Amino acid sequence: MNKEYKMKYGKDELSFSLDSSLIVDELVIKKFPELPDPAAAIREAIRNPIDSKPLNKIVKPGQTVAFIVNDPTRVANSYVFMPILLDELNAVGIPDEDMRIVFALGTHRLMTEQEMIEAVSPAVAKRVKMYNSNCRNKEDFQFFGTTSRGTPVYFNKLVTEVDHIICTGNIVHHFFSGFGGGRKAMLPGVAYYETVRKNHSMMLDPNAVIGKLEGNPIYHDQVEGAEMCRPSFLLNVVLNEKKKFLKVFAGDYIKAHQVACEFVNEVYGARIKQEADLVIATCGGYPKDINVYQLQKTMDNAWCAVKPGGMVILLGECIEGTGSELYEKTMQKYKTPAEVETAIRTDFQIGAHKAYAVTRLMNKAEFVLVSSLDPQLAKTLLFTPAKDMNEALQLAFKKLGSHPSITLMPMGSFTVPHM
């Protein structure tokens, strides 16, 4: 019997019809109660932190503070907790002029003034100065040393020339560094380009995988780098697919993060009955599908649920295109996943690494992309373009037959399938 399904696409939804008897799994986040009073939970977390003194016992009058805050590609509801953090420090004698916000852009594009204001709230934007961390301006960064894995560690002076660094953000699974959040506010968040490039080059290691911290060289390298300019405190949140708070974690930037990751596994881990012939996945709409760079995270999750030789239909608007000029140039130059991998192993570059991250998944299954990208560009990126869901489903049934097993992933950027 045919049934209508809806999945998020950009700031809208796409509808499509399927025979419901073909659906073997529909993967969603486990139901955890939303926090009834996020502000109260934030205050409780920072006053009773994990393996740390409370925030108001760490920062002393006369000292300066830098808050590291997520950019728009990583929703953390910073506008909810930033006023609380400022007020908490005001109460112990730290005036607004002794605090600043630095946005953890990593190698992402610079934020506009309006994006900064929206991220932290107009009220907070009026109180403290806000800055982008531009990874390309080497003079903005201070050198701290080289990690045991050879990463030269440079952090933005906006965070190194204060008394206390407070890391904030959200936590979800990450496709090669295990989990987001924690130390990632520092590295890659406010690190120099070469620091990020060298650290991320370890994604070629077989232990650099989703959901793994212990033994993951990228994670250990990031922590080793962050320890050279150790953050004083961490506030990380876990949200559901509606961007509502599920839990707040605060304290030591390593220990509190590790505890939070255990909860993230409970929330976002999705057990599957079997790998499916066809996986239909959406990133979850804007900003998770703002570009191919962000879309790739959903690809990784869908890859876990599809059979070898199967097909994945991806819904991702990609209103900002690929998200990386170097990624595009790499794909214009190399025509197969094998060629891309050889090139990346020879000369690892941020942006070009996304070409490897995307195309390595295509060795297992065909990826059909429903997006606003020019179809020729989608083909250059080795996707099969489809103008809408009808065309995508026609391609799937033509390849897989009339009765493929189907797994739906309406929260594709969050849910991490496992057997």
Side-chain angles (χ1 to χ4, degrees), residues 25 27-29 171-179 209-212 264-265 267-272 274-276 278-284 288 294-307 311-314 357-358 360-362 364-365 367 407-419:
D25 272 311
L27 307 183
V28 296
I29 293 174
I171 305 179
V172 293
H173 290 90
H174 189 276
F175 75 100
F176 63 70
S177 60
F179 293 86
V209 294
I210 194 166
K212 179 176 182 172
V264 170
N265 264 337
V267 177
Y268 299 140
R271 188 172 293 279
I272 57 174
Q274 64 188 65
E275 290 181 333
L278 173 63
V279 174
I280 303 174
T282 173
C283 302
K288 295 293 184 182
Q294 297 304 320
L295 173 100
Q296 179 264 321
K297 295 166 188 174
T298 298
M299 288 182 68
D300 255 271
N301 291 345
W303 179 90
C304 296
V306 70
K307 281 182 184 175
M311 182 181 282
V312 176
I313 296 175
L314 278 172
V358 168
R360 70 192 170 111
L361 305 173
M362 294 169 171
K364 183 181 184 183
F367 283 79
T407 290
L408 301 179
M409 296 182 65
M411 305 171 188
S413 64
F414 294 107
T415 44
V416 180
H418 60 92
M419 297 290 276

Side-chain angles (χ1 to χ4, degrees), residues 105-307:
L105 304 185
T107 61
H108 298 172
R109 67 164 176 81
L110 302 186
M111 292 170 65
T112 65
E113 184 74 15
Q114 187 57 39
E115 285 175 325
M116 291 180 177
I117 293 169
E118 289 173 3
V120 298
S121 81
V124 166
K126 288 176 184 173
R127 291 173 61 179
V128 295
K129 290 184 177 178
M130 305 181 297
Y131 303 90
N132 280 313
S133 180
N134 185 347
C135 73
R136 300 286 182 172
N137 287 349
K138 190 173 183 180
E139 63 272 16
D140 293 349
F141 294 81
Q142 180 180 343
F143 179 65
F144 284 87
T146 303
T147 69
S148 59
R149 292 174 173 82
T151 299
V153 178
Y154 292 83
F155 291 123
N156 198 301
K157 293 174 185 174
L158 290 164
V159 301
T160 66
E161 295 179 349
V162 296
D163 296 302
H164 296 284
I165 301 169
I166 298 174
C167 298
T168 74
N170 71 323
I171 305 179
V172 293
H173 290 90
H174 189 276
F175 75 100
F176 63 70
S177 60
F179 293 86
R183 79 290 168 207
K184 283 190 86 231
M186 292 289 291
L187 200 175
V190 293
Y192 175 52
Y193 176 84
E194 182 59 21
T195 306
V196 182
R197 188 197 71 80
K198 179 61 179 171
N199 173 260
H200 283 16
S201 71
M202 298 173 206
M203 71 179 286
L204 295 160
D205 188 292
N207 288 305
V209 294
I210 194 166
K212 179 176 182 172
L213 294 181
E214 192 54 45
N216 187 325
I218 290 184
Y219 170 73
H220 292 302
D221 192 61
Q222 289 169 339
V223 170
E224 188 179 345
E227 284 290 285
M228 295 180 185
C229 183
R230 197 175 209 278
S232 298
F233 201 75
L234 171 83
L235 175 72
N236 274 173
V237 301
V238 179
L239 309 177
N240 65 13
E241 81 286 0
K242 299 178 202 164
K243 302 171 188 171
K244 302 292 186 182
F245 289 91
L246 295 181
K247 214 160 184 179
V248 181
F249 297 86
D252 179 80
Y253 87 101
I254 297 174
K255 295 292 177 58
H257 177 256
Q258 289 171 344
V259 174
C261 289
E262 293 174 10
F263 179 66
V264 170
N265 264 337
E266 288 182 51
V267 177
Y268 299 140
R271 188 172 293 279
I272 57 174
K273 302 181 184 79
Q274 64 188 65
E275 290 181 333
D277 298 314
L278 173 63
V279 174
I280 303 174
T282 173
C283 302
Y286 181 91
K288 295 293 184 182
D289 68 352
I290 195 170
N291 54 37
V292 182
Y293 214 87
Q294 297 304 320
L295 173 100
Q296 179 264 321
K297 295 166 188 174
T298 298
M299 288 182 68
D300 255 271
N301 291 345
W303 179 90
C304 296
V306 70
K307 281 182 184 175

